[in-house]
Amino acid sequence: MASDRIFGLVVLMGALAYMASATQIQTSFLADPVGPKAFPMLVGAVAAISALVLIFKPDPDPNWPVLRTFGSLGIAVIVLICYAYALKPLGFIIPTAITAAILSYQISPRPVPAIAAGAGLSVGLFVLFKFALGLGLIAFPHGWGG
């Protein structure tokens, strides 16, 4: 019970700090009507509400995961940090395929389906983000386009 409340307080502080930093986002005169602050504020508000639920309605008997689960979470965090650093120099498709394959393998340790999921997700998300949403993504490193 105490662990839920402590975690809820940590998440609440993080959510409030996140929302405070979102208020510092500069807007240009060409911004959309909602503005660039809306999404981060929404994410922060959902996190704050979730934290308040943890604080006021904690689980009376929480079950902590086994140590191996924490190892898997650590690997996932490291992979996602590497992914963030790899996007700019390597483009979208290669890092996304590798990251999605590793994370998929963690969910179900079968190599062929994990690689297929990584490749499919990277290409599918690229098409969605680039053409449906109009984001300015680079598919591959700059030297590969000719």
Side-chain angles (χ1 to χ4, degrees), residues 13 25-28 33 35 39-40 48 67 70 73 89 115 118-119 123 129:
M13 293 300 121
I25 295 174
Q26 299 293 323
T27 58
S28 70
F39 183 72
L67 190 58
F70 289 112
L73 288 172
I115 292 169
V123 172
F129 293 156

Side-chain angles (χ1 to χ4, degrees), residues 19-26 37:
M19 291 172 71
S21 67
T23 63
Q24 303 301 315
I25 295 174
Q26 299 293 323
K37 296 178 187 180

Side-chain angles (χ1 to χ4, degrees), residues 129-130 134-138:
F129 293 156
K130 178 81 174 178
L135 299 179
L137 295 178
I138 305 299

Side-chain angles (χ1 to χ4, degrees), residues 51-102:
L52 290 172
V53 169
L54 279 174
I55 292 168
F56 294 115
K57 292 191 78 173
D59 187 358
D61 188 26
N63 294 327
W64 285 85
V66 295
L67 190 58
R68 182 175 180 203
T69 303
F70 289 112
S72 294
L73 288 172
I75 290 170
V77 167
I78 291 168
V79 167
L80 290 171
I81 289 170
C82 292
Y83 173 68
Y85 281 105
L87 274 174
K88 191 166 187 175
L90 297 177
F92 183 83
I93 292 179
I94 295 170
T96 303
I98 293 169
T99 300
I102 292 170

Side-chain angles (χ1 to χ4, degrees), residues 1-52:
M1 227 166 127
S3 62
D4 280 357
R5 288 194 167 125
I6 292 169
F7 182 69
L9 283 172
V10 170
V11 171
L12 182 62
M13 293 300 121
L16 293 175
Y18 184 76
M19 291 172 71
S21 67
T23 63
Q24 303 301 315
I25 295 174
Q26 299 293 323
T27 58
S28 70
F29 68 95
L30 295 175
D32 61 271
V34 175
K37 296 178 187 180
F39 183 72
M41 293 298 279
L42 181 66
V43 170
V46 169
I49 292 168
S50 300
L52 290 172

